[in-house]
Amino acid sequence: MQRQACETGIIPEETLDPKDWTDIRAVAHRAVDDAIEYLRDVRDRPVWRDMPVEIRKTFETPLPRAPTSISAVYREVTEAVMPYPMGNVHPRFWAWYMGSSNFTGALADFLAAVQGSNLGGGNHAAAKMDEQVVDWCKEIIGFPASASGTLVSGGSMANTIALIVARNVKAGADVREHGVAAIERPLRFYASEQVHSCHRKAIEAIGLGNCALERIPTGDDLRIDLDALRIAIARDRAAGLQPACVIGNAGTVNTGAIDDLLALADLAAQENLWFHVDGCIGALIAIAPDNAHLVRGLERADSVALDPHKWLHAPFEVGCVLVRDAAAHLGSFSVAQEYLERTPRGIASAEWLYEYGLQTSRGFRALKVWMALKEHGVEKFGRLIDQNIAQGRYLDGLIALEPLLESVVPATINIVCFRYCSPGLDDATLKRLNVEIMIRLQEDGIAAISDTTVRGKHCLRVAINNHRTQRADLDLLVREIIRLGRDIKI
């Protein structure tokens, strides 16, 4: 047949779909079974383990030219990828600040990929679900239904989108048309010295430069010093600059400190500033019955960034930015394109969601959030947040009872900063010792924690953002830190 086709000059048409679906069906069923066992037995595995040399070499092979059976491809994944994760789904992964995923969300990602919709917008079910999840996020933080929002990759992009809108609203010029050079008085944005680094990247990316982001000192509680903020605003105005935006933290990445959001909302209103809240750590505390009061004032922001892939435990990646002024949001990104005109009927008869951000091609992120919220209900997620915060305070209590451990700053929410203190060691030696403890915990597969520096003091950092964590895991962590601290010779 192929020879005959060649003789007639007709090239056989191809597809990525198999002629016989038997093998792919078998592999797919096996993958689902393996995935269930992978999560069911996660506690029995090391949190993290380094890849052997022979596994690393599998990622250095050249580009494949010829086909390989799907069963062989899947076998490579099970041998070289699945046993060596970062570890954040494990109940004793507390490094940095990450959600721990859930099986329903993983299933949703599979279904989203099978359906294959592009969420640039249009008239189809995935786009409507995207809008619904954004509406749910508005409801979670107390924003009005008239507000705007969009799903993005994560907190960094959510904050960037919000700061672009803030810049455009406060510029006093048409920045989209004429650029930042058209701004008569240089804009100034304000945040505490504890602000996440993504804000610097955003300020640089939107053309204002790092100097436009003023880091305001914090008090002993590591919250922004409101008096220092007022002084900075007055000083900048006197110097001919244009105060434009204040960024509040609903949970700093370093320690979980939450700025006084009500006071910041008042100050922003008095000073005619855009009020943005970086809520990627703690905005979702708004659904936690025991701790929602900690983020009171969030609902008064002009914009909020939050991360469903943290305390809603959606698989990576999905973030969300909400903007109170829907017209300002749309006006910052909308571009008329002749090939994407709205039509009265058909696929192009609905809104184009790409007009609320930087991506035209957008993945179907909403399904994993939607399915998990439908399955469990938002109240359960709120209880899990309260559970993590209670676990943070429990760990704080264990540290207070252990003479060889020193709390560096009291836990505000679920982030605990402390260090092992061996008598007679200076700070430099204590840092080497604590870093070695941290690495040994990782290498032994016991726990994954990170480290940071607070008020000039190096410390270990435990961020309990994991629905699988139990108090017994924290008891184990403390025991192992004490054991390693005594065993390690520095």
Side-chain angles (χ1 to χ4, degrees):
M1 181 70 71
Q2 188 172 4
R3 181 178 178 182
Q4 183 179 3
C6 292
E7 290 173 352
T8 60
I10 300 173
I11 300 174
E13 294 178 315
E14 295 186 283
T15 175
L16 294 175
D17 293 333
K19 291 180 180 179
D20 183 347
W21 290 81
T22 303
D23 287 348
I24 197 77
R25 180 185 296 273
V27 169
H29 280 270
R30 181 184 167 193
V32 170
D33 288 340
D34 288 349
I36 291 171
E37 292 179 7
Y38 189 85
L39 290 181
R40 183 197 65 192
D41 302 333
V42 64
R43 182 175 288 278
D44 300 330
R45 296 195 304 273
V47 178
W48 176 86
R49 57 177 175 165
D50 204 359
M51 289 173 284
V53 173
E54 60 271 19
I55 294 296
R56 291 183 181 276
K57 286 183 177 178
T58 65
F59 300 109
E60 300 171 3
T61 55
L63 177 70
R65 301 284 179 180
T68 304
S69 71
I70 186 61
S71 59
V73 172
Y74 179 67
R75 184 172 61 251
E76 285 192 51
V77 172
T78 60
E79 293 174 354
V81 178
M82 299 306 288
Y84 306 100
M86 186 177 199
N88 50 286
V89 304
H90 196 284
R92 293 192 299 277
F93 185 98
W94 305 303
W96 305 292
Y97 201 99
M98 302 184 188
S100 46
S101 191
N102 70 88
F103 183 79
T104 299
L107 183 62
D109 260 352
F110 168 73
L111 294 173
V114 169
Q115 199 209 38
S117 292
N118 184 333
L119 269 293
N123 180 20
H124 56 100
K128 293 304 295 181
M129 183 176 287
D130 189 289
E131 292 175 327
Q132 184 176 34
V133 168
V134 170
D135 286 342
W136 287 352
C137 289
K138 290 185 238 175
E139 189 175 347
I140 280 172
I141 69 162
F143 258 32
S146 59
S148 181
T150 188
L151 298 181
V152 292
S153 58
S156 294
M157 186 52 65
N159 283 304
T160 298
I161 295 294
L163 297 187
I164 289 172
V165 180
R167 178 201 65 182
N168 292 356
V169 169
K170 295 298 183 180
D174 188 346
V175 176
R176 293 194 66 191
E177 186 67 23
H178 302 293
V180 293
I183 302 174
E184 290 186 13
R185 292 191 296 156
L187 301 181
R188 285 295 179 265
F189 287 57
Y190 306 89
S192 90
E193 62 191 4
Q194 297 291 310
V195 73
H196 192 280
S197 61
C198 72
H199 294 279
R200 170 176 178 164
K201 290 185 178 183
I203 292 294
E204 292 173 355
I206 65 177
L208 300 180
N210 181 44
C211 290
L213 178 60
E214 295 201 31
R215 282 76 164 180
I216 305 300
T218 56
D220 293 338
D221 55 6
L222 294 169
R223 305 203 299 176
I224 192 168
D225 184 324
L226 294 169
D227 289 335
L229 174 58
R230 291 188 183 93
I231 291 169
I233 292 169
R235 181 198 64 223
D236 286 345
R237 279 210 173 97
L241 306 175
Q242 175 61 54
C245 172
V246 59
I247 301 165
N249 287 303
T252 60
V253 70
N254 230 15
T255 67
I258 298 173
D259 290 332
D260 187 338
L261 302 179
L262 282 171
L264 282 178
D266 288 341
L267 186 151
Q270 293 161 7
E271 298 286 353
N272 191 28
L273 303 180
W274 184 276
F275 179 32
H276 173 64
V277 175
D278 181 349
C280 295
I281 297 293
L284 288 164
I285 294 175
I287 62 174
D290 294 342
N291 291 283
H293 65 278
L294 296 175
V295 292
R296 194 173 295 127
L298 185 67
E299 71 283 353
R300 293 180 56 191
D302 293 298
S303 55
V304 175
L306 56 96
D307 267 349
H309 61 214
K310 292 192 173 82
W311 255 332
L312 292 184
H313 302 290
F316 285 107
E317 55 185 29
V318 54
C320 181
V321 58
L322 303 175
V323 181
R324 182 178 299 276
D325 185 341
H329 186 189
L330 180 62
S332 292
F333 298 99
S334 179
V335 176
Q337 299 181 98
E338 63 275 9
Y339 52 88
L340 288 175
E341 288 186 11
R342 291 277 293 272
T343 56
R345 299 186 312 280
I347 300 173
S349 63
E351 191 170 31
W352 290 110
L353 301 180
Y354 79 88
E355 293 202 301
Y356 292 89
L358 296 170
Q359 291 181 266
T360 304
S361 299
R362 299 173 69 247
F364 188 7
R365 299 183 176 105
L367 186 59
K368 54 194 167 189
V369 181
W370 189 93
M371 284 183 66
L373 281 171
K374 291 285 281 189
E375 179 190 14
H376 298 290
V378 72
E379 291 181 0
K380 183 168 186 178
F381 285 98
R383 293 194 303 272
L384 288 170
I385 293 170
D386 278 338
Q387 178 174 288
N388 281 162
I389 293 174
Q391 288 166 342
R393 292 167 183 163
Y394 175 74
L395 178 56
D396 229 15
L398 294 179
I399 292 163
L401 293 173
E402 177 49 63
L404 289 172
L405 299 180
E406 176 190 54
S407 175
V408 171
V409 59
T412 302
I413 45 173
N414 59 327
I415 299 177
V416 184
C417 296
F418 64 102
R419 64 179 181 173
Y420 180 90
C421 283
S422 186
L425 299 183
D426 60 25
D427 281 349
T429 307
L430 281 175
K431 178 176 181 178
R432 291 198 301 273
L433 174 58
N434 278 272
V435 168
E436 186 62 23
I437 289 171
M438 176 183 70
I439 294 173
R440 295 273 188 99
L441 286 170
Q442 295 172 7
E443 290 177 335
D444 294 345
I446 297 167
I449 64 176
S450 62
D451 63 341
T452 189
T453 299
V454 180
R455 292 280 188 258
K457 186 177 289 187
H458 175 268
C459 57
L460 302 174
R461 177 180 170 280
V462 175
I464 309 170
N465 182 228
N466 194 311
H467 63 86
R468 299 184 177 95
T469 295
Q470 299 173 2
R471 290 190 178 196
D473 295 310
L474 302 171
D475 294 332
L476 173 65
L477 173 67
V478 170
R479 289 197 303 271
E480 290 299 310
I481 288 175
I482 297 300
R483 178 185 65 81
L484 289 168
R486 286 171 170 160
D487 290 349
I488 294 169
K489 307 302 179 186
I490 295 292

